[in-house]
Amino acid sequence: MKKSRRPLKVLVLLHPELMPPDSIKGYSEKEIHVWKTEYDVVSTLRSRGHDVRALGLKDELKPIREAIEGDWKPDIVFNLLEEFHGDVMYDQNVVSYLELLRLPYTGCNPRGLMLARGKALSKKLAAYHRIPVPDFTVFSIGRRVRRPPRLAFPLIVKSLSQDASLGIAQASLVDNDEKLAERVIFIHEKIGTDAIAEQFIDGREIYVGVLGSERLRVLPVWELEFGDLPAGSSRIATTRVKHDPDYQERHRITQGPAEGLTPELTTRIQRLAKRICRTLELDGYARIDFRLSADNVPYFIEANPNPEIARIEEFAQAALHDGIRYPALLERMLWLGIRRARAKTGE
Ligand SMILES: Nc1ncnc2c1ncn2[C@@H]1O[C@H](COP(=O)(O)OP(=O)(O)O)[C@@H](O)[C@H]1O
Ligand SMILES: [Mg+2]
């Protein structure tokens, strides 16, 4: 690893309900799971000698201003905030505010957050650059559900703008117009957003982490393996598959380096991940999700700027596999943020 860097004053922005305790002693695994990312980041940065303060932010920007106007001026914000006013679409606005305050921050810039947010917009941009994407159509709230004839079943119906598998269940996979209409209405009414229906790519679930700004470092190709899902279940990353440790254990859902890919295919997937980052103007750190079809076409499913970075989750595990230990990973994220701010102000 490169020279050890000076300690920084780091203001960690997070959701107030995810404020981590100083120690995990006495908490159950389930409890820890909820705020593990926040805990991992705060405790690891502290153990590296940084001066860390965590700030819970929900629907007020004033605390940020107060934090920078006091005696303790942060060198950088570590941005773990994923929503504001309870709305995930506002993540970009908070980052814009940090930019206006000329406060360096980790993770993605607001333009990248916006371009990646829309599951249709990001695919349109990718398709222009000849990146393979599933065929899709958007069903807006209040419009009749009419499937364009070119779009063939099976389809998967999702929220156009929500993430974390919200609204993704076995019922998301539909094979006729009646079920399609039902699920689209479910997204409109229960999730409260427009819906997107995509060609279902039956294949392997592949994740690729990317780290950097101008120069991008791509992490090893990672795979979520569905193990032995209950009979009749399709292999999709539902909320339970992604976020329920008991369910994962019961059905042997695991993650790890994707095995058996040829070097050419590995390189192709990694290059695609970088091109998607450039196309969507992502920086900091991101995870690009693909489905690899049976004939080895990596279809772009979703770009996740500021993905989950808990120590045990895909991004940090893939980095570790590539020789970047967790403290060093967080350190890189900090310095990427500082360097981006310096480049901007010309300091
Ligand atoms: N077009 C598709 N073909 C096959 N599986 C898909 C497709 N789109 C989504 N999925 C499955 O659903 C999961 C969640 O979809 P995604 O678009 O990543 O939404 P989220 O933002 O909720 O993570 C994916 O990880 C994948 O397992
Ligand atoms: Mg996803």
Side-chain angles (χ1 to χ4, degrees):
M1 210 194 65
K2 275 193 273 176
K3 54 204 170 273
S4 87
R5 313 267 206 172
R6 74 178 161 92
L8 297 169
K9 287 196 272 250
V10 184
L11 183 67
V12 180
L13 291 188
L14 43 77
H15 194 284
E17 279 156 32
L18 304 178
M19 183 66 78
D22 286 337
S23 157
I24 56 172
K25 268 203 202 101
Y27 291 96
S28 71
E29 218 174 298
K30 260 213 160 76
E31 286 170 316
I32 294 170
H33 185 74
V34 176
W35 37 256
K36 65 179 189 309
T37 310
E38 288 72 12
Y39 176 79
D40 286 349
V41 169
V42 170
S43 63
T44 304
L45 291 177
R46 283 201 176 126
S47 75
R48 292 280 288 203
H50 295 297
D51 182 5
V52 181
R53 293 192 187 173
L55 179 64
L57 215 60
K58 200 169 177 180
D59 37 31
E60 270 273 21
L61 290 172
K62 211 163 142 223
I64 302 181
R65 249 216 123 90
E66 285 167 354
I68 62 169
E69 280 170 356
D71 295 336
W72 187 87
K73 289 200 173 29
D75 295 304
I76 184 159
V77 162
F78 203 110
N79 181 22
L80 291 178
L81 212 61
E82 296 190 34
E83 58 176 56
F84 195 77
H85 285 309
D87 189 337
V88 292
M89 304 259 235
Y90 287 157
D91 60 352
Q92 74 199 48
N93 302 51
V94 176
V95 181
S96 295
Y97 182 65
L98 300 178
E99 288 205 323
L100 297 181
L101 292 172
R102 291 214 184 280
L103 198 53
Y105 57 89
T106 60
C108 190
N109 70 80
R111 277 119 2 236
L113 289 170
M114 187 191 74
L115 295 179
R117 165 73 52 203
K119 288 183 199 289
L121 176 61
S122 59
K123 287 193 186 69
K124 285 177 192 165
L125 294 170
Y128 178 83
H129 293 283
R130 282 196 266 280
I131 292 160
V133 300
D135 200 0
F136 68 88
T137 195
V138 171
F139 297 109
S140 305
I141 292 185
R143 303 286 292 272
R144 262 187 61 205
V145 182
R146 270 236 303 278
R147 176 177 57 94
R150 67 169 160 80
L151 197 60
F153 292 110
L155 296 171
I156 181 166
V157 184
K158 313 188 282 192
S159 160
L160 189 60
S161 51
Q162 281 287 345
D163 44 30
S165 285
L166 209 67
I168 306 258
Q170 288 295 328
S172 310
L173 194 57
V174 298
D175 55 10
N176 62 50
D177 283 308
E178 198 184 328
K179 284 195 196 150
L180 170 67
E182 244 173 57
R183 196 62 191 178
V184 168
I185 289 163
F186 170 87
I187 298 285
H188 289 173
E189 291 181 353
K190 294 282 160 17
I191 310 293
T193 66
D194 293 339
I196 180 170
E198 289 179 10
Q199 172 195 359
F200 179 67
I201 310 295
D202 198 5
R204 295 169 70 175
E205 174 105 359
I206 298 288
Y207 301 141
V208 187
V210 184
L211 190 60
S213 288
E214 265 106 66
R215 280 184 32 232
L216 299 177
R217 168 153 179 183
V218 56
L219 300 178
V221 177
W222 219 241
E223 178 169 15
L224 178 80
E225 288 203 70
F226 293 97
D228 46 13
L229 290 184
S233 297
S234 303
R235 300 156 90 75
I236 49 179
T238 57
T239 325
R240 284 209 294 187
V241 167
K242 271 206 224 167
H243 303 293
D244 183 343
D246 294 339
Y247 188 83
Q248 290 166 350
E249 204 168 313
R250 212 161 346 120
H251 296 292
R252 295 192 298 123
I253 295 159
T254 55
Q255 43 133 331
E259 312 249 336
L261 307 181
T262 61
E264 294 75 30
L265 184 55
T266 302
T267 307
R268 167 137 205 262
I269 294 173
Q270 289 183 316
R271 285 213 180 116
L272 279 177
K274 285 208 240 182
R275 271 172 61 204
I276 291 165
C277 285
R278 296 226 158 83
T279 301
L280 301 178
E281 297 180 36
L282 306 186
D283 64 359
Y285 56 100
R287 200 192 71 227
I288 311 298
D289 299 355
F290 298 91
R291 294 281 288 206
L292 186 61
S293 66
D295 53 352
N296 281 335
V297 178
Y299 284 90
F300 167 50
I301 299 297
E302 188 197 22
N304 302 280
N306 297 357
E308 161 73 86
I309 48 163
R311 194 188 276 268
I312 61 159
E313 297 293 353
E314 311 89 358
F315 192 93
Q317 287 298 309
L320 184 63
H321 194 75
D322 215 16
I324 310 176
R325 293 179 51 223
Y326 194 61
L329 178 66
L330 299 186
E331 194 85 21
R332 276 175 193 241
M333 291 171 176
L334 286 176
W335 283 95
L336 279 168
I338 299 234
R339 281 202 298 268
R340 173 179 48 202
R342 280 184 189 156
K344 196 143 206 163
T345 55
E347 275 173 35

